[in-house]
Amino acid sequence: MFTPTDEQTRAADHFHTGDHMALQAGAGTGKTSTLALLAKSTRRRGRYIAYNRAIAHDATTRFPSTVTCKTAHALAYAAIGHRYARRLDAPRRPAWKTGQDLGITKPVRIAGHDLMPTTLSNTVMRTVTRFCHSADTTITDHHVLPLRGLDSPTAHSQLAAVVLPFARKAWEDLQRSDDGVVRFDPDHFLKIWSLTNPKIPADYLLLDEAQDTNPVVEHIFNSQRDHAQLVLVGDSAQAIYHWRGAKDIMTGFDGTHLPLSRSFRFGPHLAREANRWLTIAQAPIRLTGTDTMPTELGPLTHPDAILCRTNVGAMKHVMNHLATGTRVALAGGGDSLRALALAARDLKDGRRTHHPELVLFPTWGTVQDYAAHDPCGRDLQPLVDLVDTHGTHAILTAVSHLTTEENAQVTISTAHKAKGREWARVQVADDFTPPKDTDEQDSQGRPVPGPIDDGEARLAYVAVTRARTQLDIGGLAWIDTHPDGHPENPSE
C-alpha cells in the first residue's frame, strides 16, 4: 500500500460521496493507482473501460475482483459483435471494389468536376467511417467530408446528395450479420451496439484515456449517468489522436473536476521542462516533480529509448543502430512489419500476395492509392512510407535483426506508441522539426519563428515525460530559442 497524496485523498472523498468526476492526471501522476485506490475502497461493482487490450489486461492485475476491466470494443463484442465473427475474418477489399458492389459504376459530374467511381467509392466509405465514430443515429450530409475543389456549400450539398444514398446502402449492408459486400471491422459493431442504447451493468464506471475518446464511446459512457457513477481520467495535454477522430471529453464533462499533478516518474527539473510544453498547449494543469527522483536533463550517449516523430524516422534510427552492432528493439515488434514488407515486395515485383491484408491488391500502386485515399487503409500509410523511403530489402534486413525489448540495448519508438510507456533514459530524435519562420524579423534582423501548433506541443509533452532518470531533449532543443519556450511565470 502507498500513502495517498492530498490530491488522491480528495479524489477518494468525492468518489465516496457519489460525485461524477473528471480527474486531470498529468504524466506519471499515478492515475491507475488512484483508480485502484477508489475501487478498493468500496464493495460496489465497477467497470474499468481501458484504451486498449494491453492496458485492460494489466489493469486486471491491479484492480479488485469487483471491477471488470475491458475495452469499449470488448464490451460491444460480448454484447453484439460476436454475431459478426464471420464477417470480421473477411479479407481487405479496396473501396472501389466495394463501390462496384454498391452500384457505383459510372463517373458523376459535380460543380464542373468529374468524380470517378474510385473517388466516389472512397468518399462513401469515409462517410460511413465518420458516422461510426460519431454519436449520431443516422448518416447525414455533415458526415460527408468535402473534397478539394468542391469546398463551397453548394458543391458539398451536391456531393452529399450523390454520396448519402450509397453510404446508407453500405450501412444497411454492415448491419447484416451473415454476409455482405462491405468489409466489417470492430468500429462497425461498436456503432451498432451504441445504437441499441446499451445499459452497462455496474455501480460505477471508470473511463481511462478520456482525452482520446471517440464521440460514440462518449455517448455510450454518458448514457450510463442515470444508474452509475461516472469517473473520467485522462490528461488533456496528451490528446494526440484528434487526426483519428478522437475527442478530449475531459474539459466539458458535467461533474467535479480534480487534478493529479504530482508526478512520481521524474523530478523537478523534468517537471519544469514538461511545464513549458503544457503552457504552450494551454493545458489545464502544471506538474510538480518528486524531489527524490533527481531526473537530469542533458546529452545521452547510450539512451534506453529513442522517441521519433514519424515511423520513417523510427526506421532510420533502427537501421543506423543496427549498422553499429547495437541490439535494437522496435516498440510493437517487427513481425507484422516483416509480413507486410514481404507482401509489398511481391506486389512490387508483379506477383500477387497471399497476405490477408493485401490479398485483393494487384499492384503496389493500388496499395499506395488505397493507403492515401481510402479511410479503411490509413493504417497502411506507415508501411507505404517505409517501403517508398527505404525499399523492402532494407526493411526486411533490419526487421530480421531486431530483438525483444528485454534483450535490447535501445528501444526505438514513435512518440505516439510511447504514450503510456516510460524508460530510465530517453532521447528525443531529430525529426521533431521546429515551426517554419514567418515573414517577420526581430530587432536583430532574424526571422521570427512561427507559432507552435497545439498538437505538436502535446506530442512533445508526451515525448519529454517518458523519462525517469535522464532526458536528452535532442530534436526538441529548438524550443530554447523559440519565443514561446520561455513563459513569463514558469512553474515547477
Side-chain angles (χ1 to χ4, degrees), residues 375-396:
C376 296
R378 290 176 182 173
D379 59 320
L380 289 180
Q381 190 62 56
L383 167 72
V384 172
D385 290 340
L386 290 175
V387 170
D388 292 345
T389 302
H390 297 288
T392 56
H393 178 72
I395 294 171
L396 290 168

Side-chain angles (χ1 to χ4, degrees), residues 359-375:
V359 67
L360 294 179
F361 295 90
T363 66
W364 180 246
T366 58
V367 176
Q368 292 171 313
D369 183 67
Y370 176 71
H373 305 294
D374 195 313

Side-chain angles (χ1 to χ4, degrees), residues 32 48 50 52-63 69:
T32 305
Y48 171 76
N52 58 41
R53 283 184 293 178
I55 293 174
H57 182 267
D58 178 68
T60 59
T61 66
R62 307 181 66 175
F63 282 87
C69 304

Side-chain angles (χ1 to χ4, degrees), residues 239-292:
I240 59 175
Y241 286 109
H242 286 173
W243 55 275
R244 240 168 36 181
K247 173 185 175 185
D248 175 17
I249 67 172
M250 299 284 293
T251 53
F253 181 70
D254 182 11
T256 301
H257 289 248
L258 298 171
L260 296 176
S261 61
R262 167 70 68 179
S263 180
F264 302 102
R265 180 180 299 161
F266 44 74
H269 294 306
L270 201 152
R272 279 194 289 272
E273 179 62 38
N275 286 339
R276 279 209 287 187
W277 297 103
L278 288 170
T279 300
I280 295 168
Q282 301 182 30
I285 62 170
R286 301 293 181 269
L287 296 180
T288 301
T290 299
D291 292 333
T292 56

Side-chain angles (χ1 to χ4, degrees), residues 227-345:
H227 75 273
Q229 182 183 7
L230 306 183
V231 179
L232 294 174
V233 64
D235 184 353
S236 292
Q238 293 192 53
I240 59 175
Y241 286 109
H242 286 173
W243 55 275
R244 240 168 36 181
K247 173 185 175 185
D248 175 17
I249 67 172
M250 299 284 293
T251 53
F253 181 70
D254 182 11
T256 301
H257 289 248
L258 298 171
L260 296 176
S261 61
R262 167 70 68 179
S263 180
F264 302 102
R265 180 180 299 161
F266 44 74
H269 294 306
L270 201 152
R272 279 194 289 272
E273 179 62 38
N275 286 339
R276 279 209 287 187
W277 297 103
L278 288 170
T279 300
I280 295 168
Q282 301 182 30
I285 62 170
R286 301 293 181 269
L287 296 180
T288 301
T290 299
D291 292 333
T292 56
M293 298 282 293
T295 311
E296 299 178 6
L297 274 66
L300 276 168
T301 305
H302 301 291
D304 298 310
I306 299 175
L307 306 186
C308 305
R309 175 66 181 82
T310 64
N311 286 282
V312 173
M315 207 62 200
K316 181 189 74 172
H317 280 275
V318 166
M319 293 176 176
N320 289 343
H321 279 79
L322 286 173
T324 65
T326 304
R327 297 192 307 276
V328 182
L330 181 65
D335 288 346
S336 61
L337 179 59
R338 178 181 182 276
L340 285 166
L342 287 170
R345 186 179 66 182

Side-chain angles (χ1 to χ4, degrees), residues 304-489:
D304 298 310
I306 299 175
L307 306 186
C308 305
R309 175 66 181 82
T310 64
N311 286 282
V312 173
M315 207 62 200
K316 181 189 74 172
H317 280 275
V318 166
M319 293 176 176
N320 289 343
H321 279 79
L322 286 173
T324 65
T326 304
R327 297 192 307 276
V328 182
L330 181 65
D335 288 346
S336 61
L337 179 59
R338 178 181 182 276
L340 285 166
L342 287 170
R345 186 179 66 182
D346 288 341
L347 292 173
K348 288 172 73 72
D349 290 344
R351 299 187 299 270
R352 298 297 293 253
T353 177
H354 297 292
H355 192 290
E357 296 284 351
L358 303 177
V359 67
L360 294 179
F361 295 90
T363 66
W364 180 246
T366 58
V367 176
Q368 292 171 313
D369 183 67
Y370 176 71
H373 305 294
D374 195 313
C376 296
R378 290 176 182 173
D379 59 320
L380 289 180
Q381 190 62 56
L383 167 72
V384 172
D385 290 340
L386 290 175
V387 170
D388 292 345
T389 302
H390 297 288
T392 56
H393 178 72
I395 294 171
L396 290 168
T397 300
V399 168
S400 69
H401 288 89
L402 289 172
T403 187
T404 62
E405 291 196 38
E406 292 77 13
N407 296 321
Q409 293 171 287
V410 63
T411 295
I412 311 297
S413 177
T414 63
H416 283 92
K417 288 183 180 177
K419 183 178 171 182
R421 304 283 305 277
E422 61 181 65
W423 294 269
R425 298 169 299 176
V426 172
Q427 183 180 73
V428 179
D430 57 3
D431 58 346
F432 284 83
T433 55
K436 294 181 180 179
D437 292 336
T438 66
D439 295 332
E440 301 177 7
Q441 295 183 336
D442 62 16
S443 58
Q444 298 181 2
R446 295 171 301 191
V448 176
I452 300 172
D453 177 76
D454 285 353
E456 293 300 312
R458 290 192 295 270
L459 192 62
Y461 163 69
V462 171
V464 303
T465 53
R466 300 307 97 192
R468 294 193 303 269
T469 61
Q470 188 169 356
L471 171 69
D472 181 350
I473 197 171
L476 288 169
W478 52 263
I479 189 62
D480 291 331
T481 58
H482 194 281
D484 294 340
H486 304 278
E488 295 181 5
N489 299 307

